[in-house]
Amino acid sequence: MRRTSSRRLFAAAILVASVLAPVAAVPATADTAARLARVDQQDQGERQPGGLGRDMTARLDKAIEDVRREAGIPGIAVGLWMPGKGHYGRATGLADTATREPMTTGLYTRIGSETKTFTVTALLKLVDDRRIRLDDPISRYVHGVPNGRRITLRHLAEMRSGLFPYTNDPDFVHDLLSDPGRSFTPREVLAYGFKHKNTFAPGKQFQYSNSNLVLLGLVIEKVSGHRVADFIHKRVLRPAHLDHTLFPSGGEFPEPHARGYTNQTLSGEIEDSTDWNPSWAGSAGAMISNLHDLRRWAKTVATGTLLSPETQKQRLRMLPTGYPGTSYGLGIFKSGGWIGHNGSIPGYESVTVYLPSQKATLVLLLNTDIPHDGQEPSSLVARAITQIVTPKNVYDRPVPPR
């Protein structure tokens, strides 16, 4: 029986004046479910000739199914949109391995660290409001941060703070996996990381850390006077017209959704993690969305629709990560020319990226995070797809160091 490595545990891969109404996740209504089903049927129709063409569609179908079977992925939903060339919608495999319910493209999913793109967008809205500056020290807003007077908000957003990742702390791993339904506060999870010395001086190198984004969530709450979930809802989700994206308060999960499967367990055995409480991930990884909202979000976040041009320029100032072909900006990365983020949380993985040179969008949703030959399953699928449709721009996000 093996114990899950704390390095992989919950890693995201890599990489106002008015009162805000509370946001709560609720089961989808019959009308909502029916609407999602209709959109799903439309996406399934995109596989027919007239999308990307018979030959390309057949190649994609085979490549995706080959990866799914080889990596043991229960279900995959894919959306690919290439203006001037066509589009492709595909769901393969199972949403529920017990009932054999098929995967579809109309399901809600946990998006893990894609949450970071929403949190940083909310932070940058405050920059545009001139209520904060990226080079402000975190100590101005949150007390008790190790070396907080030298660590700036920019350092946190670009993963260069040097703060120890709380998800790498063995006590955190044990406490969470012993009770996956437990609710954690931001201060509670940060305490696990703050027990350790910082790993390097601010700005000196790249290290992916959920501690950074949990802290930025606290900054948003401090400055706005509202819960980070409420601020993201009003200032990001609503303006972006994302009606099926939300920040849950606990383990609630709108219907319909796929079951999620993970081996990030104390025993190392595969478990159904669908209803685990994602509060431990908070503003670093707790959000929920679906393929259709993420399609809209991919272009919005990559092109800066919600931000001023200067702030978006700051966001897209990509710096080396130490992994060839992949660079990181402010809560966003570039891999093979594709801009966006991926997400990984026990039971689910996702990729939402945009290729500016072709105005193309790719969204992947998987109901497992179990690696195959040491690689994240979402990266395997994204690589297989982009090798076919954009051979000069292959998504090839490397595996983070162990």
Side-chain angles (χ1 to χ4, degrees):
M1 309 291 276
R2 79 172 169 80
R3 177 172 177 172
T4 301
S5 162
S6 62
R7 188 227 54 86
R8 186 173 80 83
L9 185 70
F10 322 120
I14 234 176
L15 297 293
V16 101
S18 59
V19 177
L20 304 181
V23 180
V26 296
T29 64
D31 287 345
T32 299
R35 183 165 61 254
L36 289 174
R38 286 195 296 272
V39 176
D40 182 54
Q41 290 171 357
Q42 293 170 4
D43 273 2
Q44 295 295 341
E46 290 174 359
R47 296 175 54 200
Q48 305 305 317
L52 289 176
R54 287 183 182 275
D55 291 345
M56 181 69 75
T57 296
R59 290 178 64 195
L60 288 170
D61 283 350
K62 183 179 186 303
I64 293 166
E65 187 62 12
D66 285 350
V67 172
R68 190 186 74 79
R69 292 182 182 278
E70 173 67 21
I73 302 167
I76 304 173
V78 178
L80 174 66
W81 297 269
M82 304 186 72
K85 295 183 178 180
H87 43 233
Y88 174 90
R90 169 72 153 134
T92 181
L94 302 174
D96 187 324
T97 60
T99 65
R100 312 300 292 180
E101 179 182 351
M103 191 75 164
T104 73
T105 58
L107 303 178
Y108 285 93
T109 192
R110 299 194 188 281
I111 61 172
S113 282
E114 289 197 35
T115 300
K116 292 175 173 64
T117 60
F118 295 95
T119 299
V120 173
T121 299
L123 183 84
L124 296 178
K125 295 290 284 185
L126 292 173
V127 171
D128 277 344
D129 292 345
R130 299 189 177 183
R131 302 182 69 182
I132 63 172
R133 296 180 303 172
L134 286 171
D135 294 318
D136 288 342
I138 183 62
S139 60
R140 181 171 299 177
Y141 306 101
V142 181
H143 298 300
V145 179
N147 205 21
R149 291 184 179 180
R150 294 185 58 202
I151 295 171
T152 67
L153 306 186
R154 187 189 301 275
H155 289 142
L156 295 167
E158 64 190 13
M159 300 295 178
R160 293 174 179 270
S161 70
L163 290 172
F164 186 88
Y166 67 84
T167 51
N168 284 6
D169 177 73
D171 291 333
F172 169 77
V173 174
H174 179 270
D175 291 349
L176 178 55
L177 295 185
S178 297
D179 182 12
R182 172 180 170 178
S183 182
F184 288 86
T185 68
R187 287 287 189 174
E188 286 173 341
V189 296
L190 287 170
Y192 289 100
F194 289 173
K195 294 187 304 181
H196 302 266
K197 292 182 179 179
N198 290 10
T199 55
F200 53 83
K204 292 300 182 181
Q205 63 186 72
F206 174 90
Q207 182 186 33
Y208 198 89
S209 174
N210 284 328
S211 300
N212 296 329
L213 269 289
V214 171
L215 278 169
L216 291 182
L218 291 178
V219 172
I220 291 168
E221 293 188 337
K222 174 76 172 181
V223 175
S224 72
H226 300 286
R227 294 191 315 142
V228 63
D230 299 336
F231 189 81
I232 287 175
H233 177 72
K234 180 165 186 178
R235 298 299 304 278
V236 181
L237 303 183
R238 193 179 295 171
H241 307 291
L242 304 182
D243 299 328
H244 302 293
T245 302
L246 56 112
F247 195 133
S249 59
E252 63 270 28
F253 202 164
E255 295 281 359
H257 59 255
R259 307 302 297 181
Y261 304 94
T262 189
N263 65 351
Q264 297 201 66
T265 58
L266 287 178
S267 69
E269 299 299 320
I270 296 173
E271 294 183 11
D272 184 327
S273 57
T274 307
D275 299 315
W276 287 14
N277 189 335
S279 62
W280 62 269
S283 52
M287 289 180 67
I288 292 169
S289 189
N290 67 13
L291 186 145
H292 313 291
D293 269 15
L294 293 176
R295 173 194 179 183
R296 181 188 296 270
W297 181 240
K299 182 176 181 180
T300 297
V301 71
T303 61
T305 302
L306 301 182
L307 302 173
S308 69
E310 176 56 33
T311 299
Q312 180 68 3
K313 182 179 178 180
Q314 292 289 310
R315 173 173 217 157
L316 296 183
R317 187 175 72 103
M318 301 288 180
L319 298 176
T321 61
Y323 313 123
T326 300
S327 53
Y328 205 87
L330 301 178
I332 197 168
F333 66 60
K334 178 183 285 187
S335 178
W338 293 87
I339 298 173
H341 218 289
N342 63 338
S344 184
I345 195 166
Y348 300 92
E349 286 200 344
S350 59
V351 174
T352 297
V353 287
Y354 180 80
L355 184 61
S357 63
Q358 298 193 34
K359 298 182 179 179
T361 298
L362 174 64
V363 180
L364 305 179
L365 307 178
L366 286 66
N367 60 341
T368 187
D369 66 314
I370 300 173
H372 176 68
D373 289 341
Q375 299 187 70
E376 293 172 322
S378 60
S379 292
L380 295 174
V381 179
R383 186 178 307 128
I385 291 172
T386 55
Q387 283 174 337
I388 293 171
V389 298
T390 56
K392 294 183 179 179
N393 296 98
V394 177
Y395 178 99
D396 198 26
R397 198 202 62 72
V399 179
R402 293 186 180 278

